[in-house]
């Protein structure tokens, strides 16, 4: 089919088209960063959209790769930013789902060595999954002679502002054992900050570990299906009646495609319309999975469904 | 050529064959770690091999990806481990060659942001290249608010056991500018330590940066050709009459293949004969470049050929 350009996907919709789409969906899954908020600022209209959808009897879930906070902390953030009544059970974060995976899927017998922050530690603690305690300053400790814990049965890597060489080296030593699991909270390579700055993401730290061990991590977060399976196992969620709304083509849209959901790209975050159209016009079959079914400038456009035509 | 198994390569050499091979070579390049020494111990017989090659009039060079030492420190290590008269100009390390590249090839006008250690700092200083790296940040400073130097024109990443998140994040911010060069001393993914431990290599840290920036680093060290070009620009070296001896298939042997130089795998380091043979028997064409022409158990196997009274 060389030269054939598919016209499916990237459909900019508004008003009555959004209404028609939402009428057919019982469940709406939102990514957080770049979709409902950016940093500490809600996307204007986002709290109203969430309320409106719930009023219409839809199930609303939040599916985020951001592993820096435990869920109770997210509940507080939602409240602080003006979203009313978002319950902990509606929030699926990669830290929470990693803990669920370790406890219920891998059923790990032993400790987890963590490269990550308090979000991950708190979720592991809540799930009752033992982990190697985060050391404070390891003055004088080096990979040549530091103690290694023989009970480590899994390594979990996620965003870690205290990432350093010794943590990386210890993780490598644990992963020499082929029976030691290798998990990553998410593959996000970087995240935008203000003023054109960027911060490396979990994906960057995972790449360091994959290269140093010649192993591939099992990824918990989007675009892997696991977080959707967590939702589906706790709530009856039919993919055909569900919509995934995200801002990152390689993460959120691919996730939606992998799970059989309709997908919508919102332009308040990372990915641009040009990138979406680039994937749409690509000759490579895999790239079609990154193409959103629908596009909106902002999820505030959902509020148009209340307007008179 | 499905079904064809190549018989080329991985030839075990006996001493008369080694003599014949060395007869045709005027230059021998050695990797260091795993070839002439392991840690602080010379490979038994290695100092004698180097002396005898030089006595027989061969040019001998040491080509190492290990960027943790400046060359003068290597000169001392050679001496300490019993190698006589190895001069600084016979040593090509990735730290030294990175400095050369920045000064003479990239001709960088501005500062270099370094993820690395003392070896790299010293070579940059000696080459007169201004750099930033290794300074601690004030307490509580994050990547959102730390000062960034507007004069950074290149990022150089190498082995750094003081790597931390801020260094990685700053490098990412600098590399947002497509005019900022992105160099890596080498791509070695890991290195073996004692008792089954491993240590991440420059390649691991480079992978973190490549993922976070969606850019590919220009690699100075093996298997890139640059270190060979550094030698060839200073000495008359004919690839057809040169031999590369190494212990790592994807680094040393690939380097030799890229430079058109015959290759010898020695088994005192990282790669095994089984790995070499499986690349030889592989159907993937790109894996043929990892196949050594010859294999020896240790470079001490050169000794009978060199000690013989016969002329070389």
């Amino acid at each position: 089919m060389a030269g054939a350009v598919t016209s499916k996907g990237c459909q900019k919709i508004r008003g009555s088209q959004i209404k028609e789409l939402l009428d057919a969906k019982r469940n709406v899954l939102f990514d957080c960063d770049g979709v409902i908020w950016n940093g500490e600022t809600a996307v204007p209209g986002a709290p109203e959209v969430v309320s409106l959808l719930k009023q219409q009897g839809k199930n609303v879930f939040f599916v985020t790769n951001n592993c820096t906070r435990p869920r109770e902390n997210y509940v507080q953030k939602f409240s602080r930013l003006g979203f009313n009544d978002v319950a902990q059970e509606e929030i699926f974060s990669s830290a929470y789902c990693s803990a669920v995976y370790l406890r219920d899927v891998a059923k790990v017998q032993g400790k987890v060595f963590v490269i990550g922050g308090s979000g991950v530690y708190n979720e592991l603690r809540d799930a009752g999954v033992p982990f190697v305690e985060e050391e404070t300053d390891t003055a004088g400790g080096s990979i040549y002679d530091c103690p290694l814990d023989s009970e480590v049965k899994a390594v979990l890597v996620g965003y870690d502002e205290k990432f350093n060489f010794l943590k990386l080296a210890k993780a490598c030593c644990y992963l020499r054992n082929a029976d030691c699991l290798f998990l990553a909270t998410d593959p996000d390579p970087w995240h935008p900050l203000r003023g054109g700055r960027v911060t490396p993401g979990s994906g960057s730290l995972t790449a360091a570990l994959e290269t140093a061990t010649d192993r591939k991590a099992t990824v918990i977060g989007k675009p892997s299906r696991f977080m959707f399976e967590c939702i589906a196992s706790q709530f009856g969620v039919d993919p055909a009646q569900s919509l995934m709304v995200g801002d990152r083509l390689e993460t959120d849209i691919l996730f939606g495609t992998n799970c059989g959901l309709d997908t919508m790209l919102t332009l308040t975050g990372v990915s641009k319309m040009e990138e979406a159209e680039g994937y749409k016009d690509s000759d490579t079959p895999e790239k079609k999975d990154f193409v959103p079914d629908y596009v909106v400038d902002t999820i505030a456009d959902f509020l148009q469904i209340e307007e008179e035509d | 050529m499905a079904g064809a198994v190549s018989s080329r390569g991985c030839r075990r050499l006996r001493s008369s064959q080694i003599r014949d091979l060395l007869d045709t070579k005027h230059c021998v390049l050695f990797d260091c770690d795993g070839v002439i020494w392991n840690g602080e111990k010379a490979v038994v017989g290695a100092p004698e091999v180097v002396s005898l090659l030089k006595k027989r009039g061969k040019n001998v060079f040491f080509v190492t990806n290990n960027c943790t030492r400046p060359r003068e420190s290597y000169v001392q290590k050679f001496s300490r481990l019993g190698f006589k008269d190895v001069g600084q100009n016979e040593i090509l390390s990735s730290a030294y060659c990175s400095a050369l590249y920045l000064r003479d090839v990239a001709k960088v006008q501005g500062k270099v942001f370094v993820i690395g250690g003392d070896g790299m700092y010293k070579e940059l200083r000696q080459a007169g290249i201004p750099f930033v790296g290794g300074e601690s940040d004030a307490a509580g400073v994050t990547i959102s608010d730390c000062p960034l130097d507007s004069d950074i024109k290149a990022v150089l990443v190498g082995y750094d056991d003081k790597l931390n998140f801020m260094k990685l994040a700053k490098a990412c911010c600098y590399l947002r500018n497509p005019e900022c060069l992105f160099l890596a001393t080498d791509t070695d993914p890991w290195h073996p330590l004692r008792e089954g431990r491993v240590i991440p290599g420059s390649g691991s840290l480079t992978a973190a940066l490549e993922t976070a920036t969606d850019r590919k680093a220009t690699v100075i060290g093996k298997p890139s050709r640059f270190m060979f070009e550094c030698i060839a620009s200073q000495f008359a070296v004919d690839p057809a009459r040169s031999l590369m001896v190494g212990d790592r298939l994807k680094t040393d042997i690939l380097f030799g293949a890229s430079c058109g130089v015959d290759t010898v795998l020695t088994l005192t380091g990282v790669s095994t004969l089984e790995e070499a043979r499986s690349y030889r028997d592989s159907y993937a064409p790109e894996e043929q470049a990892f196949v050594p022409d010859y294999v020896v158990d240790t470079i001490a196997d050169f000794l009978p050929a060199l000690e013989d009274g016969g002329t070389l």
Side-chain angles (χ1 to χ4, degrees), chain B residues 5-13 249 253 262-265 273 275-281 287-296:
Chain B
V5 169
S6 172
S7 58
R8 187 194 81 71
C10 292
R11 272 186 66 195
R12 288 292 213 137
L13 288 175
L249 297 170
I253 303 307
D262 279 349
T263 53
V264 178
L265 174 70
L273 185 57
E275 288 166 334
R277 285 176 172 160
S278 82
Y279 284 129
R280 183 192 64 189
D281 300 338
E287 290 184 349
Q288 293 306 310
F290 302 148
V291 180
D293 294 300
Y294 309 105
V295 179
V296 295

Side-chain angles (χ1 to χ4, degrees), chain B residues 23-46:
Chain B
D23 224 349
T24 67
K25 303 297 179 192
H26 78 133
C27 175
V28 183
L29 299 100
F30 287 102
D31 175 39
C32 297
D33 300 308
V35 179
I36 62 169
W37 58 50
N38 273 301
E40 277 290 309
K41 285 217 190 96
V43 161
V44 173

Side-chain angles (χ1 to χ4, degrees), chain B residues 136-213:
Chain B
S136 323
D137 298 290
V141 161
T142 72
I143 189 57
S144 295
D145 50 39
C146 67
L148 289 177
D149 191 323
S150 58
D151 201 30
I152 301 290
K153 297 292 193 290
V155 167
L156 172 64
V157 55
Y159 179 83
D160 183 359
D161 60 13
K162 299 202 183 68
L163 176 80
N164 60 25
F165 189 82
M166 278 294 276
K167 283 190 179 188
L168 197 57
K170 284 180 182 176
C172 287
C173 288
Y174 290 128
L175 288 168
R176 291 279 279 180
N177 174 1
E179 311 269 308
C180 179
L181 297 179
F182 183 10
L183 301 192
T185 55
D186 67 277
T187 50
D188 294 357
W190 51 267
H191 300 281
L193 298 180
R194 263 184 282 218
E195 284 146 38
R197 293 198 178 194
V198 278
I199 202 159
S202 308
S204 167
L205 311 190
T206 303
L209 217 35
E210 289 187 329
T211 297
T213 59

